[in-house]
Amino acid sequence: MPNNEKELNCYLLDQLELIERLEIVAKNGDNDEVLKQLMLEKKFVERKLYQKPPLANEQP
C-alpha cells in the first residue's frame, strides 16, 4: 500500500501506462468493447491521479 502521495502517483502512473499499452494492442483488431472498457478504466485512474485538492494537506 502506498505510504504517501508520491508513491500513490507512481502507482497510478504505472496503471495508466499499462492501460495505454493494452489500448495499442486492442486497436489492432475489432475490440470495440475492450477499448470502451479501457477508456473507462483510464478515466477512473486519471480522476484519482489528478484530484484536487491533493491527498496530502500542505500546511503553510
Side-chain angles (χ1 to χ4, degrees):
M1 185 79 189
N3 290 327
N4 58 42
E5 187 174 357
K6 184 176 180 180
E7 285 182 46
L8 179 60
N9 284 347
C10 288
Y11 174 73
L12 294 171
L13 287 169
D14 286 344
Q15 287 186 333
L16 278 179
E17 185 178 311
L18 175 60
I19 290 169
E20 289 169 355
R21 288 194 308 256
L22 291 170
E23 284 176 336
I24 291 169
V25 173
K27 288 178 183 177
N28 288 333
D30 185 22
N31 299 304
D32 290 336
E33 292 301 314
V34 174
L35 286 171
K36 286 178 189 177
Q37 186 63 37
L38 285 170
M39 288 174 22
L40 181 62
E41 297 298 331
K42 187 174 185 177
K43 180 177 155 184
F44 293 156
V45 172
E46 287 175 341
R47 184 182 305 156
K48 292 176 189 174
L49 183 61
Y50 303 120
Q51 67 181 329
K52 301 238 187 241
L55 293 175
N57 292 330
E58 296 181 17
Q59 300 293 329

